[in-house]
Amino acid sequence: MNEATDEQLMQAVAVGELEAFNELVLRYQRLAWRTAYRFLGDAMEAEDVAQESFLKILEAASRYRPTASFRTYFYRTLTHLCVDRIRKRQLSSIDDIPEAMDPSLNPDESLIEKERRTQVRRALDALPPNQKAAMILRHYEGLSYTEISQILGTTPKAVDGLIRRAAVSLQARLSSL
């Protein structure tokens, strides 16, 4: 199954091949958690949403049609779950995105870098959900405007507008950096 495309694996899942589903989970579990964490800022909640996204994909397997790449389908499912969570609550705590610190930094520089990440996290959290989604998917996940538009159910031009408005807001909030 390792040589199979994501789309082929998903079609195998649709006919009940759970080994194919396991392979998809292995391929996407780190990406799912990382993306959900960037949206939600909470490791446990990110884990819950990542698992929920896989369950939703498994439940919908029989209805899956490869009209877009599986990756786009996956991001769409995950992003919608994250945006729903954001809309249902206000972030009560803000954590740093767990990334390895640059070993070449001295302790003072590490502290400054950690504070910078906290400020960026707060600025991202203050964005409206669709702007936040567009920024995360573009700048952290490296998706194209076309992929983001498919995920968010909008046009590439609308994605451009979301990202531009988010950038203006982030620039204003982060001008001290």
Side-chain angles (χ1 to χ4, degrees), residues 38-64:
R38 290 188 191 283
F39 272 99
L40 304 170
D42 179 275
M44 295 299 286
E45 195 170 16
E47 182 69 30
D48 289 346
V49 169
Q51 288 179 10
E52 188 177 348
S53 69
F54 286 115
L55 288 174
K56 285 207 174 286
I57 287 169
L58 180 60
E59 290 168 357
S62 64
R63 297 184 306 275
Y64 174 77

PDB file of all heavy atoms in Angstrom, residues 38-64:
ATOM      1  N   ARG A  38      -1.541  25.034  15.347  1.00  0.00           N
ATOM      2  CA  ARG A  38      -1.360  26.417  14.881  1.00  0.00           C
ATOM      3  C   ARG A  38      -2.689  27.182  14.961  1.00  0.00           C
ATOM      4  O   ARG A  38      -2.706  28.358  15.260  1.00  0.00           O
ATOM      5  CB  ARG A  38      -0.808  26.442  13.472  1.00  0.00           C
ATOM      6  CG  ARG A  38       0.629  25.989  13.393  1.00  0.00           C
ATOM      7  CD  ARG A  38       1.204  26.210  12.013  1.00  0.00           C
ATOM      8  NE  ARG A  38       2.459  25.578  11.807  1.00  0.00           N
ATOM      9  CZ  ARG A  38       3.635  26.003  12.255  1.00  0.00           C
ATOM     10  NH1 ARG A  38       3.692  27.081  12.986  1.00  0.00           N
ATOM     11  NH2 ARG A  38       4.740  25.349  11.992  1.00  0.00           N
ATOM     12  N   PHE A  39      -3.779  26.510  14.680  1.00  0.00           N
ATOM     13  CA  PHE A  39      -5.094  27.145  14.775  1.00  0.00           C
ATOM     14  C   PHE A  39      -5.506  27.369  16.221  1.00  0.00           C
ATOM     15  O   PHE A  39      -6.020  28.427  16.565  1.00  0.00           O
ATOM     16  CB  PHE A  39      -6.173  26.270  14.125  1.00  0.00           C
ATOM     17  CG  PHE A  39      -6.368  26.486  12.665  1.00  0.00           C
ATOM     18  CD1 PHE A  39      -5.792  25.633  11.742  1.00  0.00           C
ATOM     19  CD2 PHE A  39      -7.131  27.546  12.194  1.00  0.00           C
ATOM     20  CE1 PHE A  39      -5.972  25.815  10.393  1.00  0.00           C
ATOM     21  CE2 PHE A  39      -7.314  27.739  10.846  1.00  0.00           C
ATOM     22  CZ  PHE A  39      -6.732  26.874   9.941  1.00  0.00           C
ATOM     23  N   LEU A  40      -5.342  26.358  17.051  1.00  0.00           N
ATOM     24  CA  LEU A  40      -5.985  26.327  18.361  1.00  0.00           C
ATOM     25  C   LEU A  40      -5.080  26.725  19.520  1.00  0.00           C
ATOM     26  O   LEU A  40      -5.581  27.142  20.559  1.00  0.00           O
ATOM     27  CB  LEU A  40      -6.575  24.939  18.609  1.00  0.00           C
ATOM     28  CG  LEU A  40      -7.555  24.471  17.534  1.00  0.00           C
ATOM     29  CD1 LEU A  40      -7.893  23.004  17.724  1.00  0.00           C
ATOM     30  CD2 LEU A  40      -8.807  25.330  17.544  1.00  0.00           C
ATOM     31  N   GLY A  41      -3.788  26.558  19.381  1.00  0.00           N
ATOM     32  CA  GLY A  41      -2.873  26.958  20.433  1.00  0.00           C
ATOM     33  C   GLY A  41      -2.889  26.072  21.667  1.00  0.00           C
ATOM     34  O   GLY A  41      -2.373  26.455  22.695  1.00  0.00           O
ATOM     35  N   ASP A  42      -3.464  24.901  21.572  1.00  0.00           N
ATOM     36  CA  ASP A  42      -3.554  23.995  22.716  1.00  0.00           C
ATOM     37  C   ASP A  42      -3.258  22.579  22.231  1.00  0.00           C
ATOM     38  O   ASP A  42      -3.951  22.075  21.341  1.00  0.00           O
ATOM     39  CB  ASP A  42      -4.959  24.085  23.323  1.00  0.00           C
ATOM     40  CG  ASP A  42      -5.131  23.155  24.507  1.00  0.00           C
ATOM     41  OD1 ASP A  42      -5.459  21.965  24.276  1.00  0.00           O
ATOM     42  OD2 ASP A  42      -4.963  23.618  25.646  1.00  0.00           O
ATOM     43  N   ALA A  43      -2.254  21.949  22.825  1.00  0.00           N
ATOM     44  CA  ALA A  43      -1.804  20.640  22.360  1.00  0.00           C
ATOM     45  C   ALA A  43      -2.880  19.560  22.479  1.00  0.00           C
ATOM     46  O   ALA A  43      -3.073  18.768  21.553  1.00  0.00           O
ATOM     47  CB  ALA A  43      -0.553  20.213  23.130  1.00  0.00           C
ATOM     48  N   MET A  44      -3.587  19.525  23.594  1.00  0.00           N
ATOM     49  CA  MET A  44      -4.619  18.500  23.788  1.00  0.00           C
ATOM     50  C   MET A  44      -5.793  18.719  22.835  1.00  0.00           C
ATOM     51  O   MET A  44      -6.324  17.766  22.268  1.00  0.00           O
ATOM     52  CB  MET A  44      -5.102  18.492  25.236  1.00  0.00           C
ATOM     53  CG  MET A  44      -4.027  18.091  26.240  1.00  0.00           C
ATOM     54  SD  MET A  44      -3.406  16.422  25.972  1.00  0.00           S
ATOM     55  CE  MET A  44      -4.788  15.495  26.574  1.00  0.00           C
ATOM     56  N   GLU A  45      -6.192  19.961  22.675  1.00  0.00           N
ATOM     57  CA  GLU A  45      -7.289  20.260  21.758  1.00  0.00           C
ATOM     58  C   GLU A  45      -6.891  19.959  20.315  1.00  0.00           C
ATOM     59  O   GLU A  45      -7.691  19.447  19.535  1.00  0.00           O
ATOM     60  CB  GLU A  45      -7.726  21.717  21.922  1.00  0.00           C
ATOM     61  CG  GLU A  45      -9.055  21.996  21.280  1.00  0.00           C
ATOM     62  CD  GLU A  45      -9.618  23.364  21.627  1.00  0.00           C
ATOM     63  OE1 GLU A  45      -8.878  24.237  22.120  1.00  0.00           O
ATOM     64  OE2 GLU A  45     -10.817  23.544  21.389  1.00  0.00           O
ATOM     65  N   ALA A  46      -5.635  20.221  19.984  1.00  0.00           N
ATOM     66  CA  ALA A  46      -5.141  19.907  18.639  1.00  0.00           C
ATOM     67  C   ALA A  46      -5.197  18.403  18.397  1.00  0.00           C
ATOM     68  O   ALA A  46      -5.592  17.953  17.320  1.00  0.00           O
ATOM     69  CB  ALA A  46      -3.722  20.428  18.459  1.00  0.00           C
ATOM     70  N   GLU A  47      -4.832  17.635  19.408  1.00  0.00           N
ATOM     71  CA  GLU A  47      -4.892  16.178  19.298  1.00  0.00           C
ATOM     72  C   GLU A  47      -6.341  15.719  19.083  1.00  0.00           C
ATOM     73  O   GLU A  47      -6.613  14.867  18.234  1.00  0.00           O
ATOM     74  CB  GLU A  47      -4.311  15.533  20.560  1.00  0.00           C
ATOM     75  CG  GLU A  47      -4.279  14.023  20.527  1.00  0.00           C
ATOM     76  CD  GLU A  47      -3.281  13.473  19.523  1.00  0.00           C
ATOM     77  OE1 GLU A  47      -2.269  14.117  19.253  1.00  0.00           O
ATOM     78  OE2 GLU A  47      -3.537  12.369  19.006  1.00  0.00           O
ATOM     79  N   ASP A  48      -7.266  16.288  19.854  1.00  0.00           N
ATOM     80  CA  ASP A  48      -8.685  15.936  19.706  1.00  0.00           C
ATOM     81  C   ASP A  48      -9.196  16.250  18.302  1.00  0.00           C
ATOM     82  O   ASP A  48      -9.888  15.430  17.686  1.00  0.00           O
ATOM     83  CB  ASP A  48      -9.545  16.689  20.720  1.00  0.00           C
ATOM     84  CG  ASP A  48      -9.360  16.207  22.143  1.00  0.00           C
ATOM     85  OD1 ASP A  48      -8.776  15.119  22.339  1.00  0.00           O
ATOM     86  OD2 ASP A  48      -9.790  16.927  23.069  1.00  0.00           O
ATOM     87  N   VAL A  49      -8.875  17.434  17.810  1.00  0.00           N
ATOM     88  CA  VAL A  49      -9.353  17.839  16.484  1.00  0.00           C
ATOM     89  C   VAL A  49      -8.704  16.986  15.397  1.00  0.00           C
ATOM     90  O   VAL A  49      -9.369  16.596  14.435  1.00  0.00           O
ATOM     91  CB  VAL A  49      -9.115  19.346  16.248  1.00  0.00           C
ATOM     92  CG1 VAL A  49      -9.346  19.723  14.797  1.00  0.00           C
ATOM     93  CG2 VAL A  49     -10.025  20.167  17.143  1.00  0.00           C
ATOM     94  N   ALA A  50      -7.433  16.668  15.540  1.00  0.00           N
ATOM     95  CA  ALA A  50      -6.766  15.810  14.558  1.00  0.00           C
ATOM     96  C   ALA A  50      -7.459  14.446  14.502  1.00  0.00           C
ATOM     97  O   ALA A  50      -7.768  13.942  13.409  1.00  0.00           O
ATOM     98  CB  ALA A  50      -5.290  15.655  14.907  1.00  0.00           C
ATOM     99  N   GLN A  51      -7.726  13.866  15.669  1.00  0.00           N
ATOM    100  CA  GLN A  51      -8.419  12.577  15.699  1.00  0.00           C
ATOM    101  C   GLN A  51      -9.825  12.688  15.122  1.00  0.00           C
ATOM    102  O   GLN A  51     -10.277  11.815  14.372  1.00  0.00           O
ATOM    103  CB  GLN A  51      -8.469  12.037  17.129  1.00  0.00           C
ATOM    104  CG  GLN A  51      -7.134  11.566  17.630  1.00  0.00           C
ATOM    105  CD  GLN A  51      -7.194  11.057  19.062  1.00  0.00           C
ATOM    106  OE1 GLN A  51      -8.251  10.885  19.638  1.00  0.00           O
ATOM    107  NE2 GLN A  51      -6.023  10.815  19.629  1.00  0.00           N
ATOM    108  N   GLU A  52     -10.516  13.767  15.463  1.00  0.00           N
ATOM    109  CA  GLU A  52     -11.869  13.967  14.948  1.00  0.00           C
ATOM    110  C   GLU A  52     -11.859  14.086  13.427  1.00  0.00           C
ATOM    111  O   GLU A  52     -12.757  13.576  12.757  1.00  0.00           O
ATOM    112  CB  GLU A  52     -12.472  15.225  15.585  1.00  0.00           C
ATOM    113  CG  GLU A  52     -13.936  15.429  15.266  1.00  0.00           C
ATOM    114  CD  GLU A  52     -14.520  16.662  15.972  1.00  0.00           C
ATOM    115  OE1 GLU A  52     -13.884  17.225  16.876  1.00  0.00           O
ATOM    116  OE2 GLU A  52     -15.636  17.045  15.572  1.00  0.00           O
ATOM    117  N   SER A  53     -10.834  14.730  12.882  1.00  0.00           N
ATOM    118  CA  SER A  53     -10.767  14.870  11.421  1.00  0.00           C
ATOM    119  C   SER A  53     -10.604  13.505  10.758  1.00  0.00           C
ATOM    120  O   SER A  53     -11.245  13.226   9.737  1.00  0.00           O
ATOM    121  CB  SER A  53      -9.646  15.823  11.003  1.00  0.00           C
ATOM    122  OG  SER A  53      -8.377  15.271  11.263  1.00  0.00           O
ATOM    123  N   PHE A  54      -9.786  12.634  11.352  1.00  0.00           N
ATOM    124  CA  PHE A  54      -9.633  11.291  10.788  1.00  0.00           C
ATOM    125  C   PHE A  54     -10.934  10.495  10.896  1.00  0.00           C
ATOM    126  O   PHE A  54     -11.298   9.765   9.964  1.00  0.00           O
ATOM    127  CB  PHE A  54      -8.480  10.538  11.465  1.00  0.00           C
ATOM    128  CG  PHE A  54      -7.127  11.032  11.049  1.00  0.00           C
ATOM    129  CD1 PHE A  54      -6.290  11.637  11.971  1.00  0.00           C
ATOM    130  CD2 PHE A  54      -6.685  10.909   9.739  1.00  0.00           C
ATOM    131  CE1 PHE A  54      -5.038  12.103  11.599  1.00  0.00           C
ATOM    132  CE2 PHE A  54      -5.439  11.377   9.351  1.00  0.00           C
ATOM    133  CZ  PHE A  54      -4.609  11.978  10.280  1.00  0.00           C
ATOM    134  N   LEU A  55     -11.637  10.648  12.007  1.00  0.00           N
ATOM    135  CA  LEU A  55     -12.923   9.957  12.142  1.00  0.00           C
ATOM    136  C   LEU A  55     -13.927  10.433  11.101  1.00  0.00           C
ATOM    137  O   LEU A  55     -14.645   9.624  10.506  1.00  0.00           O
ATOM    138  CB  LEU A  55     -13.483  10.146  13.555  1.00  0.00           C
ATOM    139  CG  LEU A  55     -12.767   9.386  14.661  1.00  0.00           C
ATOM    140  CD1 LEU A  55     -13.331   9.765  16.022  1.00  0.00           C
ATOM    141  CD2 LEU A  55     -12.861   7.884  14.439  1.00  0.00           C
ATOM    142  N   LYS A  56     -13.977  11.741  10.879  1.00  0.00           N
ATOM    143  CA  LYS A  56     -14.898  12.283   9.874  1.00  0.00           C
ATOM    144  C   LYS A  56     -14.550  11.758   8.482  1.00  0.00           C
ATOM    145  O   LYS A  56     -15.431  11.435   7.692  1.00  0.00           O
ATOM    146  CB  LYS A  56     -14.877  13.808   9.884  1.00  0.00           C
ATOM    147  CG  LYS A  56     -15.620  14.400  11.057  1.00  0.00           C
ATOM    148  CD  LYS A  56     -16.137  15.783  10.699  1.00  0.00           C
ATOM    149  CE  LYS A  56     -17.000  16.349  11.773  1.00  0.00           C
ATOM    150  NZ  LYS A  56     -18.312  15.750  11.859  1.00  0.00           N
ATOM    151  N   ILE A  57     -13.266  11.684   8.196  1.00  0.00           N
ATOM    152  CA  ILE A  57     -12.834  11.176   6.894  1.00  0.00           C
ATOM    153  C   ILE A  57     -13.198   9.699   6.750  1.00  0.00           C
ATOM    154  O   ILE A  57     -13.673   9.270   5.702  1.00  0.00           O
ATOM    155  CB  ILE A  57     -11.330  11.438   6.696  1.00  0.00           C
ATOM    156  CG1 ILE A  57     -11.129  12.931   6.432  1.00  0.00           C
ATOM    157  CG2 ILE A  57     -10.742  10.588   5.593  1.00  0.00           C
ATOM    158  CD1 ILE A  57      -9.711  13.403   6.476  1.00  0.00           C
ATOM    159  N   LEU A  58     -13.009   8.929   7.799  1.00  0.00           N
ATOM    160  CA  LEU A  58     -13.384   7.515   7.762  1.00  0.00           C
ATOM    161  C   LEU A  58     -14.889   7.360   7.566  1.00  0.00           C
ATOM    162  O   LEU A  58     -15.336   6.559   6.742  1.00  0.00           O
ATOM    163  CB  LEU A  58     -12.932   6.810   9.046  1.00  0.00           C
ATOM    164  CG  LEU A  58     -13.246   5.319   9.146  1.00  0.00           C
ATOM    165  CD1 LEU A  58     -12.575   4.549   8.019  1.00  0.00           C
ATOM    166  CD2 LEU A  58     -12.798   4.779  10.506  1.00  0.00           C
ATOM    167  N   GLU A  59     -15.677   8.146   8.310  1.00  0.00           N
ATOM    168  CA  GLU A  59     -17.134   8.080   8.188  1.00  0.00           C
ATOM    169  C   GLU A  59     -17.615   8.464   6.788  1.00  0.00           C
ATOM    170  O   GLU A  59     -18.613   7.940   6.308  1.00  0.00           O
ATOM    171  CB  GLU A  59     -17.796   9.004   9.210  1.00  0.00           C
ATOM    172  CG  GLU A  59     -17.661   8.535  10.639  1.00  0.00           C
ATOM    173  CD  GLU A  59     -18.069   9.597  11.653  1.00  0.00           C
ATOM    174  OE1 GLU A  59     -18.412  10.736  11.270  1.00  0.00           O
ATOM    175  OE2 GLU A  59     -18.025   9.280  12.863  1.00  0.00           O
ATOM    176  N   ALA A  60     -16.906   9.381   6.142  1.00  0.00           N
ATOM    177  CA  ALA A  60     -17.324   9.870   4.827  1.00  0.00           C
ATOM    178  C   ALA A  60     -16.655   9.115   3.679  1.00  0.00           C
ATOM    179  O   ALA A  60     -16.866   9.467   2.515  1.00  0.00           O
ATOM    180  CB  ALA A  60     -17.009  11.360   4.715  1.00  0.00           C
ATOM    181  N   ALA A  61     -15.891   8.090   3.977  1.00  0.00           N
ATOM    182  CA  ALA A  61     -15.116   7.396   2.941  1.00  0.00           C
ATOM    183  C   ALA A  61     -15.973   6.902   1.779  1.00  0.00           C
ATOM    184  O   ALA A  61     -15.572   7.009   0.623  1.00  0.00           O
ATOM    185  CB  ALA A  61     -14.343   6.233   3.554  1.00  0.00           C
ATOM    186  N   SER A  62     -17.150   6.399   2.070  1.00  0.00           N
ATOM    187  CA  SER A  62     -17.996   5.864   0.986  1.00  0.00           C
ATOM    188  C   SER A  62     -18.499   6.964   0.052  1.00  0.00           C
ATOM    189  O   SER A  62     -18.865   6.692  -1.082  1.00  0.00           O
ATOM    190  CB  SER A  62     -19.171   5.089   1.568  1.00  0.00           C
ATOM    191  OG  SER A  62     -20.006   5.969   2.306  1.00  0.00           O
ATOM    192  N   ARG A  63     -18.486   8.224   0.526  1.00  0.00           N
ATOM    193  CA  ARG A  63     -18.941   9.345  -0.303  1.00  0.00           C
ATOM    194  C   ARG A  63     -17.783  10.093  -0.976  1.00  0.00           C
ATOM    195  O   ARG A  63     -18.006  11.023  -1.739  1.00  0.00           O
ATOM    196  CB  ARG A  63     -19.745  10.333   0.550  1.00  0.00           C
ATOM    197  CG  ARG A  63     -21.018   9.721   1.136  1.00  0.00           C
ATOM    198  CD  ARG A  63     -21.860  10.733   1.908  1.00  0.00           C
ATOM    199  NE  ARG A  63     -21.150  11.454   2.957  1.00  0.00           N
ATOM    200  CZ  ARG A  63     -20.964  11.019   4.202  1.00  0.00           C
ATOM    201  NH1 ARG A  63     -21.439   9.838   4.555  1.00  0.00           N
ATOM    202  NH2 ARG A  63     -20.320  11.750   5.099  1.00  0.00           N
ATOM    203  N   TYR A  64     -16.553   9.704  -0.676  1.00  0.00           N
ATOM    204  CA  TYR A  64     -15.384  10.393  -1.204  1.00  0.00           C
ATOM    205  C   TYR A  64     -15.288  10.226  -2.717  1.00  0.00           C
ATOM    206  O   TYR A  64     -15.404   9.132  -3.242  1.00  0.00           O
ATOM    207  CB  TYR A  64     -14.106   9.863  -0.548  1.00  0.00           C
ATOM    208  CG  TYR A  64     -12.850  10.428  -1.153  1.00  0.00           C
ATOM    209  CD1 TYR A  64     -12.432  11.716  -0.855  1.00  0.00           C
ATOM    210  CD2 TYR A  64     -12.079   9.670  -2.033  1.00  0.00           C
ATOM    211  CE1 TYR A  64     -11.278  12.245  -1.409  1.00  0.00           C
ATOM    212  CE2 TYR A  64     -10.922  10.188  -2.586  1.00  0.00           C
ATOM    213  CZ  TYR A  64     -10.527  11.472  -2.279  1.00  0.00           C
ATOM    214  OH  TYR A  64      -9.389  11.989  -2.836  1.00  0.00           O
TER     215      TYR A  64
END
